Amino acid sequence: MTDGEDRLASLPGRPLDLDEIDQLEATDRFATVLYDERTIETTGEYALVYNFVLVLAERLAGAIYDETEEVWYSVYSESRSDAELTAAYDAVRNARGDDTLFSRAPLTIEEAVFRVDRPSGEETCAYDPGDTFECPVCGEGHTVRFQPENDYARDVDSIDTSHFVVECPEARREELILEFQAKTGRDSPPGE
């Protein structure tokens, strides 16, 4: 597939499962690991990842798994200060021959890191509608708003899709979700 020098000997000769991706993210070496959710293969008890982009402390790297050779290849590597996520996505897309990969992924490194760092579980982002959010993606202040769940999701008892959001011109779809209401532990929407 590619030059032998691009082999990643530090990775196992198989796709990584999501638990392994989580373990990578949990180390201080990685800020986040981005993979395309539409290309995950589920086999029995495992969900397997065949492509990813690593955001490390100092570098940005893209890698793909070659099933024929049973080896991972590096397809992109750049100093983080000079790197662009879209370039890493393009390298993976080119290696795979699939222009649809990472179509919903963050556009900037800052957005990707923010998504990993936003609160989850019982934590809350500590913002209420109307508050000013100092955006780590674009550096500007944005007004927080509460986005109630849509009509479709309202009909599903176990899902609450309402969320806190800000508009950010540098984010994918020009929005950053600060927190999903279902993960706040609140019993009612803010302001009630």
Side-chain angles (χ1 to χ4, degrees):
M1 173 173 273
T2 59
D3 185 325
E5 295 177 358
D6 296 327
R7 288 181 184 221
L8 296 174
S10 61
L11 294 175
R14 58 175 171 69
L16 298 180
D17 67 49
L18 291 181
D19 288 339
E20 291 171 312
I21 297 290
D22 289 343
Q23 289 169 5
L24 288 176
E25 282 188 326
T27 67
D28 292 338
R29 187 168 175 226
F30 299 93
T32 188
V33 179
L34 302 166
Y35 53 89
D36 192 275
E37 293 175 0
R38 293 176 307 124
T39 59
I40 293 175
E41 177 186 23
T42 305
T43 59
E45 62 185 275
Y46 296 106
L48 303 174
V49 174
Y50 289 79
N51 318 297
F52 55 74
V53 173
L54 302 170
V55 180
L56 297 105
E58 301 294 325
R59 299 200 70 70
L60 188 66
I64 63 166
Y65 177 71
D66 183 314
E67 296 174 71
T68 305
E69 296 183 32
E70 297 182 339
V71 66
W72 283 90
Y73 283 100
S74 172
V75 295
Y76 179 87
S77 182
E78 188 75 48
S79 167
R80 187 167 157 177
S81 60
D82 298 327
E84 294 182 10
L85 268 181
T86 52
Y89 298 153
D90 285 343
V92 172
R93 290 174 187 137
N94 289 337
R96 284 288 182 212
D98 185 346
D99 290 340
T100 65
L101 296 175
F102 296 100
S103 60
R104 297 185 303 187
L107 296 176
T108 65
I109 295 170
E110 293 79 10
E111 182 181 1
V113 171
F114 169 78
R115 282 180 156 189
V116 170
D117 290 343
R118 72 181 168 200
S120 64
E122 294 299 314
E123 304 171 40
T124 75
C125 65
Y127 288 97
D128 286 312
D131 288 350
T132 300
F133 172 73
E134 295 301 324
C135 184
V137 175
C138 71
E140 300 294 322
H142 305 305
T143 302
V144 176
R145 64 182 167 84
F146 181 71
Q147 180 70 42
E149 60 188 341
N150 61 36
D151 291 336
Y152 168 76
R154 252 185 228 117
D155 296 337
V156 181
D157 291 334
S158 62
I159 298 175
D160 181 356
T161 60
S162 58
H163 52 277
F164 293 99
V165 65
V166 295
E167 293 178 15
C168 173
E170 294 184 22
R172 179 158 308 271
R173 293 187 347 203
E174 298 185 354
E175 281 189 342
L176 280 180
I177 295 173
L178 304 184
E179 180 178 85
F180 288 97
Q181 175 69 17
K183 295 184 178 182
T184 64
R186 294 182 184 184
D187 293 329
S188 62
E192 285 190 5

